Amino acid sequence: MRTPSPVMLHEEPASAGLPPGSVPAQPSLLASLLAAESITERRRAVSTLVHSLGFEWLGYGRLIQLGTHAVPLSFCTTYADRRWAERYFGEGYHEEDPRLSVALRSSLPAVWCIDQLAAQAAGSVAESRLRRFVAELAETGMRSGVLFALPAASGPERHFISLLSRTPGAAWMGDGLLGQVLTLSLCLHEFYTRYAGAPQAAEAPAAQQPKLTPIQRDILVCVSLGMGDKEIAARLNLTLHNVDYHMRQLRRRFAVRNRVQLMQAAQNLDI
């Protein structure tokens, strides 16, 4: 049975307010987002624009790109279907999603339609995860869309914005529409990265938090500082074999598959 990826799904973050001396910039959508007096008002403005452009869903997420491998960190479900997001990340479909891989290789939008994805999936082995992904995406009723990958202000993070539509085919998404989609995407990206509070995972009750030994807690602190196994071994006077053993135990306790996911899962713990 597949271990779900520990992606933090969250609703619309609250505004963090304008920094001192800042002036709301154009285009007008960003000014509207900054001027909104509540999350509800901002949600209404974004939803109206998304639907006017011909899309039903909009998803905004964060990930870390490690070579050709993308590790998702968080995903906003305000304008998307939360059940589909849970399924998408829980099944690890992001690892097979050709839309995401194309977007991460370029600064241009990845325009797609379900027929194109089905053709790609048909060339894969029977019962492959790619085939299951395309089949389940089709079941949602979404038939086309566009996906952007955007850089973070600093660090290795990437941000992505995905818009999905029930309209079949890709011909309806011409240059004019893509220009409007790009403006929408950049305004949301600017707002979320500069003017909104960072999403916070709900703190788990103490009884639900994994019980760690003192050495495991020490190793987790070192991992959160970005230290490698050799550095951890030297700092804690352990052998590499012992560090590897405890790292495997920690990944099992937190139900994660790699170091980056372990760092994310540990954010709720008071270490």
Side-chain angles (χ1 to χ4, degrees):
M1 183 175 179
R2 182 179 177 80
T3 300
S5 182
V7 180
M8 180 175 64
L9 302 181
H10 62 90
E11 289 293 311
E12 186 80 351
S15 173
L18 296 177
S22 65
V23 178
Q26 294 300 320
S28 59
L29 174 58
L30 180 57
S32 297
L33 295 176
L34 294 172
E37 296 182 356
S38 67
I39 291 178
T40 300
E41 184 179 338
R42 188 168 74 236
R43 183 185 297 139
R44 186 184 304 115
V46 173
S47 295
T48 299
L49 180 54
V50 168
H51 294 154
S52 72
L53 294 176
F55 298 94
E56 277 70 45
W57 294 350
L58 179 147
Y60 181 90
R62 298 164 46 243
L63 56 80
I64 291 179
Q65 190 173 1
L66 303 174
T68 59
H69 183 60
V71 179
L73 303 177
S74 67
F75 186 80
C76 180
T77 61
T78 299
Y79 310 103
D81 186 299
R82 187 181 182 92
R83 291 172 299 178
W84 168 243
E86 291 173 345
R87 183 71 177 169
Y88 180 83
F89 292 111
E91 290 294 324
Y93 286 149
H94 63 278
E95 297 174 354
E96 307 291 339
D97 190 346
R99 307 170 305 167
L100 185 59
S101 62
V102 169
L104 290 174
R105 292 198 303 266
S106 171
S107 57
L108 297 175
V111 178
W112 62 273
C113 69
I114 198 69
D115 291 340
Q116 294 171 340
L117 297 180
Q120 288 181 264
S124 62
V125 297
E127 303 302 322
S128 70
R129 192 158 30 143
L130 177 57
R131 285 194 177 190
R132 285 189 283 114
F133 159 63
V134 174
E136 293 188 20
L137 175 59
E139 288 177 1
T140 68
M142 298 298 109
R143 293 292 180 266
S144 59
V146 57
L147 192 149
F148 291 87
L150 302 167
S154 60
E157 285 188 11
R158 300 287 298 279
H159 297 241
F160 62 96
I161 296 180
S162 177
L163 292 97
L164 297 88
S165 173
R166 293 191 178 95
T167 305
W172 68 280
M173 292 178 285
D175 290 347
L177 177 65
L178 290 179
Q180 296 179 73
V181 169
L182 179 59
T183 299
L184 166 63
S185 301
L186 291 176
C187 286
L188 285 176
H189 181 58
E190 181 79 359
F191 179 82
Y192 286 141
T193 55
R194 293 192 62 190
Y195 303 111
Q200 300 293 326
E203 186 172 351
Q208 297 180 13
Q209 294 187 0
K211 293 183 178 180
L212 304 176
T213 65
I215 189 62
Q216 288 175 338
R217 294 178 70 87
D218 289 343
I219 289 177
L220 204 56
V221 170
C222 293
V223 170
S224 69
L225 295 174
M227 298 174 64
D229 287 1
K230 290 184 178 179
E231 294 175 296
I232 295 174
R235 178 164 181 167
L236 301 181
N237 196 26
L238 299 171
T239 66
L240 280 174
H241 176 77
N242 284 337
V243 173
D244 178 69
Y245 169 79
H246 287 297
M247 288 292 289
R248 283 187 278 111
Q249 293 297 313
L250 286 168
R251 288 195 296 270
R252 186 175 297 113
R253 283 178 179 269
F254 287 93
V256 300
R257 291 170 292 156
N258 56 51
R259 185 181 297 265
V260 174
Q261 292 177 343
L262 180 61
M263 292 173 64
Q264 293 297 314
Q267 285 183 348
N268 289 343
L269 293 181
D270 179 17
I271 58 173

